[in-house]
Coordinates of all heavy atoms in Angstrom, one line a residue:
M129 N 17.2 -32.2 -101.3 CA 15.8 -32.4 -101.1 C 15.6 -33.2 -99.8 O 16.2 -34.2 -99.6 CB 15.2 -33.2 -102.3 CG 13.7 -33.3 -102.2 SD 12.9 -33.7 -103.7 CE 13.6 -35.3 -104.2
E130 N 14.6 -32.8 -99.0 CA 14.4 -33.4 -97.7 C 13.3 -34.5 -97.9 O 12.3 -34.3 -98.6 CB 13.9 -32.4 -96.7 CG 13.9 -32.9 -95.3 CD 13.7 -31.8 -94.3 OE1 12.7 -31.1 -94.3 OE2 14.6 -31.6 -93.5
I131 N 13.5 -35.6 -97.3 CA 12.6 -36.8 -97.4 C 11.5 -36.5 -96.4 O 11.8 -36.1 -95.2 CB 13.3 -38.1 -97.0 CG1 14.4 -38.3 -98.0 CG2 12.3 -39.2 -96.9 CD1 15.4 -39.5 -97.6
P132 N 10.2 -36.6 -96.7 CA 9.1 -36.3 -95.8 C 9.2 -37.0 -94.5 O 8.8 -36.4 -93.5 CB 7.9 -36.7 -96.6 CG 8.3 -36.7 -98.0 CD 9.7 -37.0 -98.0
A133 N 9.6 -38.2 -94.4 CA 9.7 -38.9 -93.2 C 10.7 -38.3 -92.2 O 10.5 -38.2 -91.0 CB 10.1 -40.4 -93.4
V134 N 11.8 -37.7 -92.8 CA 12.8 -37.1 -92.0 C 12.2 -35.8 -91.3 O 12.4 -35.6 -90.1 CB 14.1 -36.7 -92.8 CG1 15.0 -35.9 -92.0 CG2 14.7 -38.0 -93.3
A135 N 11.6 -35.0 -92.1 CA 11.0 -33.8 -91.6 C 9.9 -34.1 -90.5 O 9.8 -33.4 -89.5 CB 10.4 -33.0 -92.7
S136 N 9.1 -35.1 -90.8 CA 8.0 -35.5 -89.9 C 8.7 -36.0 -88.6 O 8.2 -35.7 -87.5 CB 7.2 -36.6 -90.5 OG 6.5 -36.1 -91.6
L137 N 9.7 -36.8 -88.6 CA 10.4 -37.3 -87.4 C 11.0 -36.1 -86.7 O 10.9 -36.1 -85.4 CB 11.4 -38.3 -87.8 CG 12.0 -39.1 -86.7 CD1 11.0 -39.8 -85.8 CD2 13.0 -40.1 -87.2
Q138 N 11.6 -35.2 -87.4 CA 12.3 -34.1 -86.7 C 11.2 -33.2 -86.0 O 11.5 -32.7 -84.9 CB 13.0 -33.2 -87.7 CG 14.3 -33.8 -88.2 CD 15.0 -33.1 -89.3 OE1 14.4 -32.4 -90.1 NE2 16.3 -33.2 -89.3
A139 N 10.0 -33.1 -86.5 CA 9.0 -32.3 -85.9 C 8.5 -33.0 -84.6 O 7.9 -32.3 -83.8 CB 7.8 -32.2 -86.9
Q140 N 8.8 -34.2 -84.4 CA 8.4 -34.9 -83.2 C 9.5 -35.0 -82.1 O 9.3 -35.5 -81.0 CB 7.9 -36.4 -83.5 CG 6.7 -36.5 -84.4 CD 5.5 -35.7 -83.9 OE1 5.2 -35.9 -82.7 NE2 4.9 -34.9 -84.7
A141 N 10.6 -34.4 -82.4 CA 11.8 -34.5 -81.5 C 11.5 -33.7 -80.2 O 10.9 -32.6 -80.3 CB 13.0 -34.0 -82.2
E142 N 11.9 -34.2 -79.1 CA 11.8 -33.5 -77.8 C 13.1 -33.6 -77.1 O 13.8 -34.6 -77.1 CB 10.7 -34.2 -77.0 CG 9.3 -34.1 -77.5 CD 8.3 -34.9 -76.7 OE1 8.6 -36.0 -76.2 OE2 7.2 -34.3 -76.5
P143 N 13.5 -32.5 -76.4 CA 14.8 -32.4 -75.8 C 14.9 -33.4 -74.6 O 14.0 -33.5 -73.8 CB 14.9 -31.0 -75.3 CG 13.9 -30.2 -76.1 CD 12.8 -31.2 -76.4
L144 N 16.1 -34.1 -74.6 CA 16.4 -35.1 -73.5 C 17.7 -34.7 -72.9 O 18.7 -34.4 -73.7 CB 16.5 -36.5 -74.1 CG 16.9 -37.6 -73.1 CD1 16.1 -38.8 -73.4 CD2 18.3 -37.9 -73.2
A145 N 17.8 -34.7 -71.6 CA 19.1 -34.5 -70.9 C 19.5 -35.7 -70.2 O 18.7 -36.4 -69.5 CB 19.0 -33.3 -70.0
S146 N 20.8 -36.1 -70.3 CA 21.3 -37.2 -69.6 C 22.1 -36.8 -68.4 O 22.9 -35.9 -68.5 CB 22.2 -38.0 -70.5 OG 22.7 -39.2 -69.9
L147 N 21.7 -37.3 -67.2 CA 22.4 -36.9 -66.0 C 22.6 -38.1 -65.0 O 22.0 -39.1 -65.1 CB 21.7 -35.8 -65.2 CG 20.2 -36.0 -64.8 CD1 19.9 -35.0 -63.7 CD2 19.3 -35.9 -65.9
S148 N 23.6 -37.9 -64.1 CA 24.0 -39.0 -63.2 C 22.8 -39.4 -62.3 O 22.1 -38.5 -61.8 CB 25.2 -38.5 -62.4 OG 25.4 -39.5 -61.4
I149 N 22.7 -40.7 -62.1 CA 21.7 -41.2 -61.2 C 22.0 -40.8 -59.7 O 21.2 -40.8 -58.8 CB 21.6 -42.7 -61.3 CG1 20.4 -43.2 -60.5 CG2 22.8 -43.4 -60.8 CD1 19.4 -44.0 -61.4
S150 N 23.2 -40.3 -59.5 CA 23.6 -39.8 -58.2 C 22.8 -38.5 -57.8 O 22.9 -38.1 -56.6 CB 25.1 -39.5 -58.1 OG 25.5 -38.4 -58.9
H151 N 22.1 -37.9 -58.7 CA 21.3 -36.8 -58.4 C 20.0 -37.2 -57.7 O 19.2 -36.3 -57.3 CB 21.0 -36.0 -59.6 CG 22.2 -35.2 -60.2 ND1 22.8 -34.3 -59.4 CD2 22.8 -35.3 -61.3 CE1 23.8 -33.8 -60.1 NE2 23.9 -34.4 -61.3
L152 N 19.7 -38.5 -57.6 CA 18.5 -39.0 -57.0 C 18.9 -39.6 -55.6 O 19.9 -40.3 -55.5 CB 17.8 -40.1 -57.9 CG 17.3 -39.6 -59.2 CD1 16.7 -40.8 -60.0 CD2 16.3 -38.4 -59.1
S153 N 18.1 -39.4 -54.6 CA 18.3 -40.1 -53.3 C 18.1 -41.6 -53.5 O 17.5 -42.0 -54.5 CB 17.3 -39.5 -52.3 OG 16.0 -39.9 -52.7
S154 N 18.6 -42.3 -52.5 CA 18.5 -43.8 -52.6 C 17.0 -44.2 -52.6 O 16.7 -45.1 -53.3 CB 19.2 -44.4 -51.4 OG 18.7 -44.1 -50.2
S155 N 16.2 -43.5 -51.9 CA 14.7 -43.9 -51.9 C 14.1 -43.6 -53.3 O 13.3 -44.4 -53.8 CB 14.0 -43.2 -50.8 OG 14.0 -41.8 -51.0
T156 N 14.5 -42.5 -53.9 CA 14.0 -42.2 -55.3 C 14.6 -43.2 -56.3 O 13.8 -43.6 -57.2 CB 14.3 -40.8 -55.7 OG1 13.6 -39.9 -54.7 CG2 13.7 -40.4 -57.0
R157 N 15.8 -43.5 -56.1 CA 16.4 -44.5 -57.0 C 15.7 -45.9 -56.9 O 15.4 -46.5 -58.0 CB 17.9 -44.7 -56.7 CG 18.8 -43.5 -57.1 CD 20.3 -43.8 -57.1 NE 20.7 -44.4 -55.8 CZ 21.2 -43.7 -54.8 NH1 21.3 -42.4 -54.9 NH2 21.7 -44.3 -53.7
L158 N 15.4 -46.3 -55.7 CA 14.6 -47.5 -55.5 C 13.2 -47.4 -56.1 O 12.8 -48.4 -56.8 CB 14.5 -47.8 -54.0 CG 13.9 -49.1 -53.7 CD1 14.6 -50.3 -54.3 CD2 13.8 -49.3 -52.2
K159 N 12.6 -46.3 -56.0 CA 11.2 -46.1 -56.6 C 11.3 -46.2 -58.1 O 10.5 -46.8 -58.8 CB 10.6 -44.8 -56.2 CG 10.1 -44.8 -54.8 CD 9.4 -43.5 -54.5 CE 8.8 -43.4 -53.1 NZ 8.1 -42.1 -52.9
L160 N 12.4 -45.6 -58.7 CA 12.6 -45.6 -60.1 C 12.8 -47.1 -60.6 O 12.1 -47.5 -61.5 CB 13.8 -44.7 -60.5 CG 14.2 -44.8 -62.0 CD1 13.0 -44.4 -62.9 CD2 15.4 -43.9 -62.2
A161 N 13.7 -47.8 -59.9 CA 13.9 -49.2 -60.3 C 12.7 -50.1 -60.2 O 12.5 -51.0 -61.0 CB 15.1 -49.7 -59.4
D162 N 11.8 -49.8 -59.2 CA 10.6 -50.6 -59.0 C 9.4 -50.0 -59.7 O 8.3 -50.5 -59.6 CB 10.3 -50.6 -57.5 CG 11.3 -51.4 -56.7 OD1 12.0 -52.2 -57.3 OD2 11.4 -51.2 -55.4
D163 N 9.7 -49.0 -60.6 CA 8.6 -48.3 -61.3 C 7.5 -47.8 -60.5 O 6.3 -48.0 -60.7 CB 8.1 -49.3 -62.4 CG 7.3 -48.6 -63.5 OD1 7.4 -47.3 -63.6 OD2 6.6 -49.2 -64.3
E164 N 7.8 -47.2 -59.4 CA 6.9 -46.7 -58.4 C 7.0 -45.1 -58.2 O 6.5 -44.6 -57.1 CB 7.0 -47.4 -57.1 CG 6.7 -48.9 -57.1 CD 7.0 -49.6 -55.8 OE1 7.5 -49.0 -54.9 OE2 6.6 -50.8 -55.8
L165 N 7.6 -44.4 -59.1 CA 7.6 -43.0 -58.9 C 6.3 -42.3 -59.1 O 5.4 -42.9 -59.7 CB 8.6 -42.4 -60.0 CG 10.1 -42.6 -59.7 CD1 10.9 -42.0 -60.9 CD2 10.5 -41.9 -58.4
S166 N 6.1 -41.1 -58.6 CA 4.9 -40.4 -58.7 C 4.6 -39.8 -60.1 O 3.6 -39.2 -60.3 CB 4.8 -39.3 -57.7 OG 5.9 -38.3 -57.9
V167 N 5.6 -39.9 -61.0 CA 5.5 -39.4 -62.4 C 5.8 -40.5 -63.4 O 6.3 -41.6 -63.0 CB 6.5 -38.2 -62.6 CG1 6.0 -37.0 -61.7 CG2 7.9 -38.6 -62.3
N168 N 5.6 -40.3 -64.6 CA 5.8 -41.3 -65.7 C 7.3 -41.5 -65.8 O 8.1 -40.6 -66.0 CB 5.3 -40.8 -67.0 CG 3.8 -40.8 -67.0 OD1 3.1 -41.3 -66.1 ND2 3.2 -40.2 -68.1
A169 N 7.7 -42.8 -65.6 CA 9.1 -43.2 -65.7 C 9.2 -44.6 -66.3 O 8.3 -45.4 -66.3 CB 9.7 -43.2 -64.3
Y170 N 10.4 -44.8 -66.9 CA 10.7 -46.0 -67.6 C 12.0 -46.5 -67.1 O 13.1 -46.0 -67.5 CB 10.7 -45.8 -69.1 CG 9.4 -45.1 -69.6 CD1 9.3 -43.7 -69.6 CD2 8.3 -45.9 -69.9 CE1 8.1 -43.1 -70.0 CE2 7.1 -45.3 -70.2 CZ 7.0 -43.9 -70.3 OH 5.9 -43.3 -70.6
P171 N 12.0 -47.5 -66.1 CA 13.3 -47.9 -65.5 C 14.2 -48.7 -66.6 O 13.6 -49.3 -67.5 CB 12.8 -48.9 -64.5 CG 11.4 -48.7 -64.3 CD 10.9 -48.1 -65.5
T172 N 15.5 -48.5 -66.4 CA 16.4 -49.3 -67.2 C 17.4 -50.0 -66.3 O 17.3 -49.8 -65.1 CB 17.2 -48.3 -68.1 OG1 18.0 -47.4 -67.3 CG2 16.3 -47.5 -69.0
D173 N 18.3 -50.8 -66.9 CA 19.2 -51.5 -66.0 C 20.2 -50.6 -65.2 O 20.7 -51.0 -64.2 CB 20.1 -52.5 -66.9 CG 19.3 -53.6 -67.4 OD1 18.2 -53.9 -66.9 OD2 19.7 -54.3 -68.4
C174 N 20.4 -49.4 -65.7 CA 21.4 -48.5 -65.1 C 20.8 -47.2 -64.7 O 21.5 -46.2 -64.4 CB 22.6 -48.4 -65.9 SG 22.3 -47.8 -67.6
G175 N 19.5 -47.1 -64.6 CA 18.8 -45.8 -64.2 C 17.4 -45.8 -64.7 O 16.6 -46.7 -64.4
G176 N 17.1 -44.9 -65.6 CA 15.8 -44.8 -66.1 C 15.5 -43.5 -66.9 O 16.4 -42.5 -66.8
I177 N 14.4 -43.4 -67.6 CA 14.0 -42.3 -68.3 C 12.7 -41.7 -67.7 O 11.8 -42.5 -67.5 CB 13.8 -42.6 -69.8 CG1 15.2 -43.1 -70.4 CG2 13.3 -41.4 -70.6 CD1 15.1 -43.6 -71.8
I178 N 12.7 -40.4 -67.5 CA 11.5 -39.8 -66.8 C 11.0 -38.7 -67.7 O 11.7 -37.9 -68.2 CB 11.9 -39.3 -65.4 CG1 12.4 -40.5 -64.5 CG2 10.7 -38.6 -64.7 CD1 12.9 -40.1 -63.2
Y179 N 9.7 -38.7 -67.8 CA 9.0 -37.6 -68.6 C 8.7 -36.4 -67.7 O 8.1 -36.5 -66.7 CB 7.7 -38.2 -69.1 CG 6.9 -37.2 -70.0 CD1 7.4 -36.8 -71.2 CD2 5.7 -36.7 -69.6 CE1 6.8 -35.9 -72.0 CE2 5.0 -35.8 -70.4 CZ 5.5 -35.4 -71.6 OH 4.8 -34.5 -72.4
V180 N 9.2 -35.3 -68.2 CA 9.0 -34.0 -67.5 C 7.8 -33.3 -68.2 O 6.9 -32.8 -67.5 CB 10.2 -33.0 -67.6 CG1 9.9 -31.7 -67.0 CG2 11.4 -33.7 -66.9
G181 N 7.8 -33.2 -69.5 CA 6.7 -32.5 -70.2 C 7.1 -31.1 -70.6 O 8.1 -30.6 -70.1
A182 N 6.4 -30.5 -71.5 CA 6.6 -29.1 -71.8 C 5.3 -28.4 -72.2 O 4.7 -28.7 -73.2 CB 7.5 -29.0 -73.0
P183 N 4.7 -27.7 -71.2 CA 5.2 -27.5 -69.9 C 5.1 -28.7 -69.0 O 4.5 -29.7 -69.4 CB 4.3 -26.4 -69.3 CG 3.0 -26.6 -70.1 CD 3.4 -27.1 -71.4
R184 N 5.8 -28.6 -67.8 CA 5.8 -29.8 -66.9 C 4.3 -30.3 -66.7 O 3.5 -29.5 -66.4 CB 6.4 -29.3 -65.6 CG 6.4 -30.4 -64.5 CD 6.9 -29.9 -63.2 NE 6.1 -28.8 -62.8 CZ 6.6 -27.6 -62.3 NH1 7.8 -27.4 -62.2 NH2 5.7 -26.7 -61.9
Y185 N 4.1 -31.6 -66.8 CA 2.8 -32.1 -66.7 C 2.4 -32.4 -65.3 O 1.2 -32.4 -65.0 CB 2.6 -33.3 -67.6 CG 3.1 -34.6 -67.0 CD1 2.1 -35.5 -66.4 CD2 4.4 -34.9 -66.8 CE1 2.6 -36.7 -65.8 CE2 4.8 -36.1 -66.3 CZ 3.9 -36.9 -65.7 OH 4.3 -38.1 -65.1
R186 N 3.3 -32.6 -64.4 CA 3.0 -32.9 -63.0 C 4.2 -32.6 -62.2 O 5.4 -32.8 -62.6 CB 2.6 -34.4 -62.9 CG 2.2 -34.8 -61.5 CD 1.9 -36.3 -61.4 NE 1.0 -36.8 -62.4 CZ 0.9 -38.1 -62.8 NH1 1.6 -39.0 -62.1 NH2 0.1 -38.4 -63.7
M187 N 4.0 -32.2 -60.9 CA 5.2 -32.1 -60.0 C 5.3 -33.4 -59.2 O 4.4 -33.9 -58.6 CB 4.9 -30.9 -59.0 CG 6.0 -30.7 -58.1 SD 7.6 -30.3 -58.8 CE 7.4 -28.6 -59.1
P188 N 6.6 -33.9 -59.2 CA 6.8 -35.2 -58.5 C 6.6 -34.9 -57.0 O 6.9 -33.9 -56.5 CB 8.3 -35.5 -58.8 CG 8.7 -34.6 -59.9 CD 7.8 -33.4 -59.9
T189 N 6.2 -36.0 -56.3 CA 6.1 -35.9 -54.8 C 7.4 -36.1 -54.2 O 7.6 -35.8 -53.0 CB 5.1 -36.9 -54.3 OG1 5.5 -38.2 -54.7 CG2 3.7 -36.6 -54.8
E190 N 8.4 -36.7 -54.9 CA 9.7 -36.9 -54.4 C 10.5 -35.6 -54.5 O 10.7 -35.0 -55.6 CB 10.5 -38.0 -55.3 CG 9.8 -39.4 -55.3 CD 8.6 -39.5 -56.3 OE1 8.4 -38.6 -57.1 OE2 7.9 -40.5 -56.2
A191 N 10.9 -35.1 -53.3 CA 11.5 -33.7 -53.3 C 12.7 -33.6 -54.1 O 12.9 -32.5 -54.8 CB 11.8 -33.4 -51.8
D192 N 13.6 -34.6 -54.2 CA 14.8 -34.5 -55.0 C 14.5 -34.4 -56.5 O 15.1 -33.6 -57.2 CB 15.8 -35.6 -54.7 CG 15.1 -37.0 -54.8 OD1 13.9 -37.1 -54.7 OD2 15.9 -38.0 -55.0
L193 N 13.5 -35.2 -56.9 CA 13.1 -35.2 -58.3 C 12.3 -33.9 -58.6 O 12.5 -33.3 -59.7 CB 12.2 -36.4 -58.6 CG 12.0 -36.7 -60.0 CD1 13.3 -36.8 -60.8 CD2 11.2 -38.0 -60.1
A194 N 11.6 -33.3 -57.7 CA 10.9 -32.1 -57.9 C 11.9 -30.9 -58.2 O 11.6 -30.1 -59.0 CB 10.0 -31.8 -56.7
T195 N 13.0 -30.9 -57.4 CA 14.0 -29.9 -57.6 C 14.6 -30.0 -59.1 O 14.7 -29.0 -59.8 CB 15.1 -30.1 -56.6 OG1 14.6 -29.9 -55.3 CG2 16.3 -29.1 -56.9
I196 N 14.8 -31.2 -59.5 CA 15.4 -31.5 -60.8 C 14.3 -31.1 -61.9 O 14.7 -30.5 -62.9 CB 15.8 -32.9 -61.0 CG1 17.0 -33.2 -60.1 CG2 16.2 -33.2 -62.5 CD1 17.3 -34.7 -59.9
F197 N 13.1 -31.4 -61.7 CA 12.0 -31.0 -62.6 C 11.9 -29.5 -62.8 O 11.7 -29.0 -63.9 CB 10.6 -31.5 -62.1 CG 10.2 -32.8 -62.7 CD1 11.1 -33.9 -62.8 CD2 8.9 -33.0 -63.2 CE1 10.7 -35.1 -63.3 CE2 8.5 -34.2 -63.7 CZ 9.4 -35.3 -63.8
E198 N 12.1 -28.7 -61.7 CA 12.1 -27.3 -61.8 C 13.2 -26.8 -62.7 O 12.9 -25.9 -63.6 CB 12.3 -26.6 -60.4 CG 11.1 -26.8 -59.5 CD 9.9 -25.9 -59.8 OE1 10.1 -24.9 -60.6 OE2 8.9 -26.1 -59.2
V199 N 14.4 -27.3 -62.6 CA 15.5 -26.9 -63.4 C 15.3 -27.3 -64.8 O 15.5 -26.6 -65.8 CB 16.8 -27.4 -62.8 CG1 18.0 -27.1 -63.7 CG2 17.1 -26.9 -61.4
A200 N 14.8 -28.6 -65.0 CA 14.6 -29.1 -66.4 C 13.6 -28.3 -67.1 O 13.8 -28.0 -68.3 CB 14.1 -30.6 -66.3
E201 N 12.5 -27.9 -66.4 CA 11.5 -27.1 -67.1 C 12.0 -25.7 -67.6 O 11.8 -25.3 -68.7 CB 10.3 -26.9 -66.2 CG 9.1 -26.2 -66.9 CD 7.9 -26.0 -66.0 OE1 8.0 -25.9 -64.8 OE2 6.8 -26.0 -66.6
Q202 N 12.8 -25.1 -66.7 CA 13.5 -23.8 -67.0 C 14.4 -24.0 -68.2 O 14.6 -23.1 -69.0 CB 14.2 -23.3 -65.8 CG 13.3 -22.8 -64.7 CD 14.1 -22.4 -63.5 OE1 15.3 -22.0 -63.6 NE2 13.5 -22.4 -62.4
A203 N 15.0 -25.2 -68.3 CA 16.0 -25.4 -69.4 C 15.3 -25.9 -70.7 O 16.0 -26.1 -71.7 CB 17.0 -26.4 -68.9
G204 N 14.0 -26.1 -70.7 CA 13.3 -26.6 -71.8 C 13.5 -28.1 -72.1 O 13.3 -28.6 -73.2
I205 N 13.9 -28.9 -71.0 CA 14.1 -30.3 -71.2 C 12.7 -31.0 -71.0 O 12.0 -30.8 -70.0 CB 15.1 -30.8 -70.1 CG1 16.4 -30.1 -70.3 CG2 15.3 -32.3 -70.2 CD1 17.1 -30.2 -71.7
V206 N 12.4 -32.0 -71.9 CA 11.2 -32.7 -71.8 C 11.4 -34.1 -71.2 O 10.5 -34.6 -70.5 CB 10.6 -32.8 -73.2 CG1 9.3 -33.6 -73.2 CG2 10.3 -31.4 -73.8
W207 N 12.5 -34.7 -71.4 CA 12.8 -36.0 -70.9 C 14.1 -36.0 -70.1 O 15.1 -35.3 -70.5 CB 13.0 -37.0 -72.0 CG 11.8 -37.3 -72.8 CD1 11.3 -36.6 -73.9 CD2 10.8 -38.3 -72.5 NE1 10.1 -37.1 -74.3 CE2 9.8 -38.2 -73.5 CE3 10.7 -39.3 -71.6 CZ2 8.7 -39.0 -73.5 CZ3 9.6 -40.1 -71.6 CH2 8.6 -40.0 -72.6
L208 N 14.2 -36.7 -69.0 CA 15.4 -36.9 -68.2 C 15.9 -38.3 -68.3 O 15.1 -39.2 -68.0 CB 15.2 -36.5 -66.8 CG 14.8 -35.0 -66.5 CD1 14.3 -34.9 -65.1 CD2 16.0 -34.1 -66.8
K209 N 17.1 -38.5 -68.6 CA 17.7 -39.9 -68.6 C 18.7 -40.0 -67.5 O 19.8 -39.3 -67.5 CB 18.4 -40.2 -70.0 CG 19.0 -41.6 -70.0 CD 19.8 -41.8 -71.3 CE 20.5 -43.1 -71.2 NZ 21.6 -43.2 -72.2
F210 N 18.3 -40.7 -66.5 CA 19.3 -40.9 -65.4 C 20.1 -42.2 -65.6 O 19.5 -43.2 -66.0 CB 18.5 -41.1 -64.0 CG 17.9 -39.8 -63.6 CD1 16.6 -39.5 -64.0 CD2 18.6 -38.9 -62.8 CE1 16.0 -38.3 -63.5 CE2 18.1 -37.7 -62.4 CZ 16.8 -37.4 -62.8
D211 N 21.4 -42.1 -65.5 CA 22.3 -43.2 -65.9 C 23.5 -43.1 -64.9 O 24.0 -42.1 -64.6 CB 22.7 -43.0 -67.3 CG 23.4 -44.2 -67.9 OD1 24.6 -44.4 -67.5 OD2 22.9 -44.9 -68.7
S212 N 23.9 -44.3 -64.6 CA 25.1 -44.4 -63.7 C 26.4 -43.9 -64.3 O 27.3 -43.5 -63.6 CB 25.3 -45.9 -63.2 OG 25.5 -46.7 -64.3
E213 N 26.4 -43.8 -65.6 CA 27.6 -43.3 -66.3 C 27.5 -41.9 -66.8 O 28.4 -41.4 -67.5 CB 27.9 -44.3 -67.5 CG 28.2 -45.7 -67.1 CD 29.5 -45.8 -66.3 OE1 30.5 -45.2 -66.6 OE2 29.4 -46.6 -65.3
A214 N 26.4 -41.3 -66.6 CA 26.1 -39.9 -67.1 C 26.8 -38.8 -66.3 O 27.3 -39.1 -65.1 CB 24.6 -39.6 -67.2
A215 N 26.9 -37.6 -66.8 CA 27.5 -36.5 -66.1 C 26.8 -36.1 -64.9 O 25.6 -36.1 -64.8 CB 27.6 -35.4 -67.1
V216 N 27.6 -35.6 -63.9 CA 27.1 -34.9 -62.7 C 26.8 -33.5 -63.2 O 27.7 -32.9 -63.8 CB 28.0 -35.0 -61.5 CG1 27.6 -34.1 -60.4 CG2 28.2 -36.5 -61.1
I217 N 25.7 -32.9 -62.9 CA 25.3 -31.6 -63.3 C 25.6 -30.6 -62.2 O 25.1 -30.7 -61.1 CB 23.8 -31.5 -63.7 CG1 23.5 -32.6 -64.7 CG2 23.4 -30.1 -64.2 CD1 24.2 -32.5 -66.0
D218 N 26.4 -29.6 -62.5 CA 26.8 -28.6 -61.5 C 25.5 -27.9 -61.0 O 24.6 -27.5 -61.9 CB 27.7 -27.5 -62.1 CG 29.1 -28.0 -62.3 OD1 29.5 -29.0 -61.7 OD2 29.8 -27.5 -63.2
G219 N 25.4 -27.7 -59.7 CA 24.3 -26.9 -59.2 C 23.1 -27.8 -58.7 O 22.2 -27.3 -58.0
L220 N 23.1 -29.1 -59.1 CA 22.1 -30.0 -58.6 C 22.7 -30.8 -57.4 O 23.9 -31.2 -57.4 CB 21.7 -31.0 -59.7 CG 20.9 -30.5 -60.8 CD1 20.5 -31.6 -61.8 CD2 19.6 -29.8 -60.3
P221 N 21.8 -31.2 -56.4 CA 22.3 -32.0 -55.3 C 22.8 -33.3 -55.8 O 22.3 -33.9 -56.8 CB 21.1 -32.2 -54.4 CG 20.1 -31.1 -54.9 CD 20.4 -30.8 -56.3
V222 N 23.8 -33.9 -55.0 CA 24.4 -35.2 -55.3 C 24.2 -36.0 -54.0 O 24.6 -35.5 -53.0 CB 25.8 -35.1 -55.8 CG1 26.4 -36.5 -55.9 CG2 26.0 -34.3 -57.1
F223 N 23.7 -37.2 -54.2 CA 23.5 -38.1 -53.0 C 24.5 -39.2 -53.0 O 25.0 -39.7 -54.1 CB 22.1 -38.7 -53.1 CG 21.0 -37.6 -53.0 CD1 20.5 -37.0 -54.1 CD2 20.5 -37.3 -51.7 CE1 19.6 -36.0 -54.0 CE2 19.6 -36.3 -51.6 CZ 19.1 -35.7 -52.7
D224 N 24.8 -39.7 -51.9 CA 25.7 -40.9 -51.7 C 25.2 -42.1 -52.4 O 24.0 -42.5 -52.2 CB 25.9 -41.1 -50.2 CG 26.9 -42.2 -49.8 OD1 27.6 -42.6 -50.8 OD2 27.0 -42.6 -48.7
M225 N 26.0 -42.7 -53.2 CA 25.6 -43.9 -53.9 C 26.0 -45.2 -53.2 O 25.7 -46.3 -53.7 CB 26.3 -43.9 -55.3 CG 25.8 -42.8 -56.2 SD 24.2 -43.0 -56.8 CE 24.3 -44.4 -57.8
S226 N 26.6 -45.1 -52.0 CA 27.1 -46.3 -51.4 C 26.1 -47.2 -50.7 O 26.3 -48.3 -50.5 CB 28.2 -45.9 -50.3 OG 27.6 -45.1 -49.3
G227 N 24.9 -46.6 -50.3 CA 23.9 -47.4 -49.7 C 22.7 -46.6 -49.3 O 22.6 -45.4 -49.7
P228 N 21.8 -47.2 -48.6 CA 20.5 -46.5 -48.2 C 20.8 -45.3 -47.3 O 21.7 -45.3 -46.6 CB 19.7 -47.6 -47.5 CG 20.4 -48.9 -47.7 CD 21.8 -48.6 -48.1
E229 N 19.9 -44.3 -47.4 CA 19.9 -43.2 -46.6 C 19.4 -43.5 -45.2 O 18.6 -44.3 -45.0 CB 19.1 -42.0 -47.2 CG 19.6 -41.5 -48.5 CD 18.7 -40.4 -49.0 OE1 17.5 -40.5 -48.8 OE2 19.3 -39.5 -49.7
V230 N 20.0 -42.7 -44.2 CA 19.6 -43.0 -42.8 C 18.5 -41.9 -42.5 O 18.5 -40.9 -42.9 CB 20.8 -42.8 -41.9 CG1 20.4 -43.1 -40.5 CG2 21.9 -43.8 -42.3

């Protein structure tokens, strides 16, 4: 027998994908850390969580993030978790993590 709270909670579930913060340019990483992205984001100590929506609610003005949003929307992903320890996703651009871009 299913507990009503379990079913209710499952009905609210939204897909989240975890990916390496190296998929963001240094300027976008800085904006994420400073909570200054053009889309809804929640910075963390090692990256952040960004809301894509289903369908996508807004296109980011940051070009690198816009590319990721396009792929996420096609994959049915509602939330993106950027983390320094997460996997690098094949087919997405990877940026140098050593310092600021020139």
Side-chain angles (χ1 to χ4, degrees):
M129 181 163 64
E130 192 168 62
I131 301 169
V134 171
S136 294
L137 188 58
Q138 286 174 330
Q140 298 303 313
E142 296 178 319
L144 177 142
S146 183
L147 61 161
S148 174
I149 192 122
S150 69
H151 289 299
L152 299 178
S153 67
S154 62
S155 61
T156 302
R157 289 193 306 268
L158 183 59
K159 285 182 178 181
L160 174 58
D162 292 340
D163 199 14
E164 295 178 352
L165 286 176
S166 62
V167 293
N168 292 348
Y170 307 91
T172 64
D173 289 341
C174 53
I177 299 173
I178 300 176
Y179 181 67
V180 177
R184 179 185 58 227
Y185 83 104
R186 183 185 311 162
M187 180 59 83
T189 59
E190 299 82 11
D192 52 339
L193 194 53
T195 298
I196 296 168
F197 265 46
E198 289 284 347
V199 175
E201 184 177 33
Q202 291 175 22
I205 302 300
V206 178
W207 293 90
L208 296 168
K209 178 185 176 198
F210 289 93
D211 190 287
S212 58
E213 299 296 321
V216 172
I217 306 300
D218 289 338
L220 290 179
V222 175
F223 297 88
D224 183 10
M225 294 289 292
S226 63
E229 293 179 327
V230 181

